[in-house]
Amino acid sequence: MIRLGIVRHALVAGRLGLIFWTLGLTAMVVMLVVLWPTYKEFDLEALLAQTPEAFQAFFVGRYAAIGQDELARYAQYLYMEWLAFALPLAVTLYALFACGGAIAREADQGTLDLLLAQPVSRASVALSKYVGFLAGLGLVLGLTAVIQLGLERAVDGVPALPAGRVLGFTVLAWLLGAAFGGLALVTSALWLDGRRALGAAGGLLFLMWLARVAGVISEQAEPVASVSLFYHWEVLELLVEGTVPWALAAGYGATALAGVVVALWVFGRRDLV
Amino acid sequence: MTAKPVIMTGRLTKRYGRRVGVAGLDLAVEPGEIYGFLGPNGAGKTTTIRVLLDFLRPDEGQAWVLGLDTRRHSLEIRRRVGYLAGEVAFWPHLTGRRTLAYLGSLRGGRLAGRAQELADTLELDLDRPIRAYSRGMKQKLGLVAALYHDRELAILDEPTLGLDPLAQQVVYRLLRQERDRGRTVFFSSHNLPEVQRLCDRVAILRRGRLVAVHGVAELAALRVRRFEVAFAGSAPADLGVPGVETVALENSRATYLVHGDVGPFVRALAAHPVQDLASHEFSLEEVFLRYYRDGSEQRETAGDAA
């Protein structure tokens, strides 16, 4: 079902994107870790207390770790500056471009015919491309995590998060990417036109963020906001106490699976005009 | 012929909304023949080919390739068929060789020596990146990709599109070699002289409908050429040759339409003092207008066809 040739080709074709995302994410992590020794002098609790409640809810989440030991404060800092917004945005943008264009880009450049003229099923093509995306995202996030772990242990004055916790939020970020990638794959299969597919997936991404913000600002918006993948993105407790949010992981996994199944179903039944 | 047809369609119909791609198409391509699929742009040639490869699903009717239903056994069909798309495209970052290796890997094999042999025959450099390829070079690579594995059937959508006349001759030779090796070649074209030169049989398609299926002899008779002749004296009104029409006559100049073989016409002209001669091949559309004014008219001259 999964063709390694297509997986490898997807990785090679997207190598520039992989390098770009890896450099971007690692630069961000390096900056955050290196800046912590100067940042930790700030009274985060007081700083947050001055901000609107919605802002606090967005960047702190339901679990407040402020006021605890240095590791917890460092975790809070990482969460605010990196994990609450920047990392999920980066991961979903990567998924948007990789999966939204996965099938549609081949159709745009006319190579989908060439691929499907080989003894390869449509499901194999779509699934292999998705696996290529998962491998690429795993590579980007894995390298970023390794660099973070290394730096935390190398730079003086920076508490080292346990490797299991870093691995935990890395896997969760990967699952978030997988979930959104699955949805973007559906748009790719539906439209077979790069601009439309990316536009639709981009619109979905925007709406999900909007729903997340709306859910934070207003309790009445929570039922709508709860549909958003980002609404459930809460990993601070994992960072501070090592509590694994299994429900979140399962939800993302199920969304990814559902997205892929729908994408295969759509792609398998449509005409390739 | 007793062998099962390599390609068969039964009342095949495909619509795009209100527009008809193909309607009620019945085809039968026998093993070991070069079968031309002739028609002007928009006639339904590419639609038919895409149905055969299961890229499009028919609204009505059925299609079989190598005895297999195109819907249920498309993987097996594609394993045994080489295909050249009408609009050939490749991954620009790969070289020709890497492209063939990639496609070969999806067939579970390595790049065969036959690929290099074909590339040499077509004078194609496989080590250049495809972004540096011209239209003709991409077409040649498409042909190599369609033919380099030993497949029972080659389905080629406009195989000589974008090729110079010398390269076209090489392609004709390659396709004849394929037939001589017992392979079947099914190709679409809108070029009547090309299919006349190459094919054992030709199906003519117009506006999604099969108009006729011709054998070689009938095909030769289909060919129409216009000759504009300048004579030293007054032009003869009638050359007295069957199949030659005088369509214009003005003092020393005459225009003739010659149907089929031009030999008798040339011999008749030799009896007159000819000063100048220009010939013009009828386009496919002109031939259609001449032979098949009514789109619903169907001629069946091949006897055993479709």
PDB file of all heavy atoms in Angstrom, chain B residues 157-175:
ATOM      1  N   ASP B 157      -0.783   8.750 -26.673  1.00  0.00           N
ATOM      2  CA  ASP B 157      -1.663   9.867 -27.034  1.00  0.00           C
ATOM      3  C   ASP B 157      -0.813  10.895 -27.794  1.00  0.00           C
ATOM      4  O   ASP B 157       0.025  11.570 -27.186  1.00  0.00           O
ATOM      5  CB  ASP B 157      -2.260  10.468 -25.746  1.00  0.00           C
ATOM      6  CG  ASP B 157      -3.478  11.340 -26.019  1.00  0.00           C
ATOM      7  OD1 ASP B 157      -3.783  11.582 -27.193  1.00  0.00           O
ATOM      8  OD2 ASP B 157      -4.111  11.777 -25.042  1.00  0.00           O
ATOM      9  N   GLU B 158      -1.002  10.989 -29.077  1.00  0.00           N
ATOM     10  CA  GLU B 158      -0.263  11.908 -29.954  1.00  0.00           C
ATOM     11  C   GLU B 158       1.256  11.731 -29.774  1.00  0.00           C
ATOM     12  O   GLU B 158       1.954  12.650 -29.313  1.00  0.00           O
ATOM     13  CB  GLU B 158      -0.641  13.367 -29.651  1.00  0.00           C
ATOM     14  CG  GLU B 158      -2.143  13.634 -29.634  1.00  0.00           C
ATOM     15  CD  GLU B 158      -2.667  14.145 -30.962  1.00  0.00           C
ATOM     16  OE1 GLU B 158      -1.877  14.251 -31.924  1.00  0.00           O
ATOM     17  OE2 GLU B 158      -3.883  14.402 -31.044  1.00  0.00           O
ATOM     18  N   PRO B 159       1.801  10.583 -30.163  1.00  0.00           N
ATOM     19  CA  PRO B 159       3.212  10.300 -29.848  1.00  0.00           C
ATOM     20  C   PRO B 159       4.228  11.185 -30.565  1.00  0.00           C
ATOM     21  O   PRO B 159       5.353  11.312 -30.091  1.00  0.00           O
ATOM     22  CB  PRO B 159       3.392   8.842 -30.284  1.00  0.00           C
ATOM     23  CG  PRO B 159       2.298   8.593 -31.251  1.00  0.00           C
ATOM     24  CD  PRO B 159       1.154   9.449 -30.827  1.00  0.00           C
ATOM     25  N   THR B 160       3.861  11.796 -31.681  1.00  0.00           N
ATOM     26  CA  THR B 160       4.871  12.583 -32.404  1.00  0.00           C
ATOM     27  C   THR B 160       4.692  14.083 -32.195  1.00  0.00           C
ATOM     28  O   THR B 160       5.352  14.880 -32.855  1.00  0.00           O
ATOM     29  CB  THR B 160       4.823  12.275 -33.920  1.00  0.00           C
ATOM     30  OG1 THR B 160       3.494  12.523 -34.388  1.00  0.00           O
ATOM     31  CG2 THR B 160       5.203  10.849 -34.207  1.00  0.00           C
ATOM     32  N   LEU B 161       3.827  14.441 -31.262  1.00  0.00           N
ATOM     33  CA  LEU B 161       3.570  15.858 -30.995  1.00  0.00           C
ATOM     34  C   LEU B 161       4.858  16.546 -30.545  1.00  0.00           C
ATOM     35  O   LEU B 161       5.532  16.083 -29.634  1.00  0.00           O
ATOM     36  CB  LEU B 161       2.517  15.976 -29.892  1.00  0.00           C
ATOM     37  CG  LEU B 161       1.722  17.257 -29.813  1.00  0.00           C
ATOM     38  CD1 LEU B 161       0.800  17.376 -31.016  1.00  0.00           C
ATOM     39  CD2 LEU B 161       0.888  17.285 -28.536  1.00  0.00           C
ATOM     40  N   GLY B 162       5.199  17.629 -31.197  1.00  0.00           N
ATOM     41  CA  GLY B 162       6.376  18.413 -30.793  1.00  0.00           C
ATOM     42  C   GLY B 162       7.698  17.879 -31.298  1.00  0.00           C
ATOM     43  O   GLY B 162       8.748  18.407 -30.946  1.00  0.00           O
ATOM     44  N   LEU B 163       7.653  16.807 -32.096  1.00  0.00           N
ATOM     45  CA  LEU B 163       8.905  16.238 -32.612  1.00  0.00           C
ATOM     46  C   LEU B 163       9.194  16.775 -34.005  1.00  0.00           C
ATOM     47  O   LEU B 163       8.271  17.021 -34.796  1.00  0.00           O
ATOM     48  CB  LEU B 163       8.816  14.710 -32.672  1.00  0.00           C
ATOM     49  CG  LEU B 163       8.671  13.969 -31.347  1.00  0.00           C
ATOM     50  CD1 LEU B 163       8.632  12.467 -31.598  1.00  0.00           C
ATOM     51  CD2 LEU B 163       9.822  14.320 -30.406  1.00  0.00           C
ATOM     52  N   ASP B 164      10.483  16.916 -34.323  1.00  0.00           N
ATOM     53  CA  ASP B 164      10.847  17.347 -35.677  1.00  0.00           C
ATOM     54  C   ASP B 164      10.653  16.172 -36.632  1.00  0.00           C
ATOM     55  O   ASP B 164      10.536  15.018 -36.202  1.00  0.00           O
ATOM     56  CB  ASP B 164      12.274  17.883 -35.688  1.00  0.00           C
ATOM     57  CG  ASP B 164      13.270  16.830 -35.270  1.00  0.00           C
ATOM     58  OD1 ASP B 164      13.387  15.807 -35.974  1.00  0.00           O
ATOM     59  OD2 ASP B 164      13.905  16.992 -34.211  1.00  0.00           O
ATOM     60  N   PRO B 165      10.601  16.437 -37.953  1.00  0.00           N
ATOM     61  CA  PRO B 165      10.304  15.346 -38.904  1.00  0.00           C
ATOM     62  C   PRO B 165      11.268  14.164 -38.811  1.00  0.00           C
ATOM     63  O   PRO B 165      10.836  13.012 -38.947  1.00  0.00           O
ATOM     64  CB  PRO B 165      10.421  16.042 -40.264  1.00  0.00           C
ATOM     65  CG  PRO B 165      10.103  17.474 -39.986  1.00  0.00           C
ATOM     66  CD  PRO B 165      10.642  17.746 -38.608  1.00  0.00           C
ATOM     67  N   LEU B 166      12.534  14.434 -38.538  1.00  0.00           N
ATOM     68  CA  LEU B 166      13.495  13.323 -38.440  1.00  0.00           C
ATOM     69  C   LEU B 166      13.166  12.440 -37.234  1.00  0.00           C
ATOM     70  O   LEU B 166      13.153  11.210 -37.340  1.00  0.00           O
ATOM     71  CB  LEU B 166      14.914  13.875 -38.285  1.00  0.00           C
ATOM     72  CG  LEU B 166      15.583  14.334 -39.582  1.00  0.00           C
ATOM     73  CD1 LEU B 166      16.942  14.936 -39.285  1.00  0.00           C
ATOM     74  CD2 LEU B 166      15.715  13.161 -40.557  1.00  0.00           C
ATOM     75  N   ALA B 167      12.878  13.080 -36.116  1.00  0.00           N
ATOM     76  CA  ALA B 167      12.533  12.322 -34.906  1.00  0.00           C
ATOM     77  C   ALA B 167      11.218  11.573 -35.121  1.00  0.00           C
ATOM     78  O   ALA B 167      11.048  10.448 -34.627  1.00  0.00           O
ATOM     79  CB  ALA B 167      12.428  13.257 -33.711  1.00  0.00           C
ATOM     80  N   GLN B 168      10.301  12.179 -35.864  1.00  0.00           N
ATOM     81  CA  GLN B 168       9.030  11.491 -36.145  1.00  0.00           C
ATOM     82  C   GLN B 168       9.294  10.183 -36.896  1.00  0.00           C
ATOM     83  O   GLN B 168       8.697   9.151 -36.595  1.00  0.00           O
ATOM     84  CB  GLN B 168       8.131  12.382 -36.997  1.00  0.00           C
ATOM     85  CG  GLN B 168       7.510  13.520 -36.208  1.00  0.00           C
ATOM     86  CD  GLN B 168       6.626  14.410 -37.062  1.00  0.00           C
ATOM     87  OE1 GLN B 168       6.349  14.107 -38.222  1.00  0.00           O
ATOM     88  NE2 GLN B 168       6.213  15.530 -36.499  1.00  0.00           N
ATOM     89  N   GLN B 169      10.214  10.235 -37.860  1.00  0.00           N
ATOM     90  CA  GLN B 169      10.540   9.022 -38.617  1.00  0.00           C
ATOM     91  C   GLN B 169      11.096   7.936 -37.685  1.00  0.00           C
ATOM     92  O   GLN B 169      10.786   6.760 -37.839  1.00  0.00           O
ATOM     93  CB  GLN B 169      11.580   9.333 -39.714  1.00  0.00           C
ATOM     94  CG  GLN B 169      11.089  10.277 -40.800  1.00  0.00           C
ATOM     95  CD  GLN B 169       9.835   9.758 -41.498  1.00  0.00           C
ATOM     96  OE1 GLN B 169       9.695   8.551 -41.735  1.00  0.00           O
ATOM     97  NE2 GLN B 169       8.910  10.661 -41.792  1.00  0.00           N
ATOM     98  N   VAL B 170      11.930   8.366 -36.751  1.00  0.00           N
ATOM     99  CA  VAL B 170      12.505   7.397 -35.797  1.00  0.00           C
ATOM    100  C   VAL B 170      11.384   6.763 -34.970  1.00  0.00           C
ATOM    101  O   VAL B 170      11.376   5.551 -34.729  1.00  0.00           O
ATOM    102  CB  VAL B 170      13.533   8.101 -34.874  1.00  0.00           C
ATOM    103  CG1 VAL B 170      14.046   7.131 -33.809  1.00  0.00           C
ATOM    104  CG2 VAL B 170      14.682   8.651 -35.689  1.00  0.00           C
ATOM    105  N   VAL B 171      10.426   7.584 -34.559  1.00  0.00           N
ATOM    106  CA  VAL B 171       9.310   7.065 -33.760  1.00  0.00           C
ATOM    107  C   VAL B 171       8.500   6.057 -34.586  1.00  0.00           C
ATOM    108  O   VAL B 171       8.136   4.985 -34.090  1.00  0.00           O
ATOM    109  CB  VAL B 171       8.400   8.210 -33.262  1.00  0.00           C
ATOM    110  CG1 VAL B 171       7.146   7.666 -32.596  1.00  0.00           C
ATOM    111  CG2 VAL B 171       9.168   9.096 -32.288  1.00  0.00           C
ATOM    112  N   TYR B 172       8.258   6.377 -35.856  1.00  0.00           N
ATOM    113  CA  TYR B 172       7.516   5.436 -36.711  1.00  0.00           C
ATOM    114  C   TYR B 172       8.255   4.099 -36.752  1.00  0.00           C
ATOM    115  O   TYR B 172       7.645   3.033 -36.675  1.00  0.00           O
ATOM    116  CB  TYR B 172       7.374   5.981 -38.133  1.00  0.00           C
ATOM    117  CG  TYR B 172       6.603   7.275 -38.237  1.00  0.00           C
ATOM    118  CD1 TYR B 172       6.825   8.165 -39.291  1.00  0.00           C
ATOM    119  CD2 TYR B 172       5.656   7.623 -37.284  1.00  0.00           C
ATOM    120  CE1 TYR B 172       6.125   9.360 -39.390  1.00  0.00           C
ATOM    121  CE2 TYR B 172       4.950   8.815 -37.369  1.00  0.00           C
ATOM    122  CZ  TYR B 172       5.187   9.678 -38.426  1.00  0.00           C
ATOM    123  OH  TYR B 172       4.503  10.863 -38.509  1.00  0.00           O
ATOM    124  N   ARG B 173       9.591   4.189 -36.884  1.00  0.00           N
ATOM    125  CA  ARG B 173      10.378   2.962 -36.959  1.00  0.00           C
ATOM    126  C   ARG B 173      10.269   2.175 -35.654  1.00  0.00           C
ATOM    127  O   ARG B 173      10.092   0.953 -35.649  1.00  0.00           O
ATOM    128  CB  ARG B 173      11.842   3.329 -37.250  1.00  0.00           C
ATOM    129  CG  ARG B 173      12.640   2.177 -37.855  1.00  0.00           C
ATOM    130  CD  ARG B 173      14.023   2.596 -38.249  1.00  0.00           C
ATOM    131  NE  ARG B 173      14.879   2.843 -37.113  1.00  0.00           N
ATOM    132  CZ  ARG B 173      15.623   3.936 -36.947  1.00  0.00           C
ATOM    133  NH1 ARG B 173      15.612   4.897 -37.846  1.00  0.00           N
ATOM    134  NH2 ARG B 173      16.382   4.085 -35.893  1.00  0.00           N
ATOM    135  N   LEU B 174      10.341   2.892 -34.539  1.00  0.00           N
ATOM    136  CA  LEU B 174      10.245   2.225 -33.236  1.00  0.00           C
ATOM    137  C   LEU B 174       8.895   1.523 -33.068  1.00  0.00           C
ATOM    138  O   LEU B 174       8.820   0.391 -32.583  1.00  0.00           O
ATOM    139  CB  LEU B 174      10.397   3.249 -32.104  1.00  0.00           C
ATOM    140  CG  LEU B 174      11.801   3.717 -31.769  1.00  0.00           C
ATOM    141  CD1 LEU B 174      11.752   4.830 -30.721  1.00  0.00           C
ATOM    142  CD2 LEU B 174      12.621   2.546 -31.235  1.00  0.00           C
ATOM    143  N   LEU B 175       7.848   2.201 -33.501  1.00  0.00           N
ATOM    144  CA  LEU B 175       6.517   1.609 -33.331  1.00  0.00           C
ATOM    145  C   LEU B 175       6.351   0.381 -34.223  1.00  0.00           C
ATOM    146  O   LEU B 175       5.735  -0.610 -33.813  1.00  0.00           O
ATOM    147  CB  LEU B 175       5.433   2.643 -33.625  1.00  0.00           C
ATOM    148  CG  LEU B 175       5.424   3.863 -32.685  1.00  0.00           C
ATOM    149  CD1 LEU B 175       4.207   4.752 -32.948  1.00  0.00           C
ATOM    150  CD2 LEU B 175       5.438   3.441 -31.224  1.00  0.00           C
TER     151      LEU B 175
END
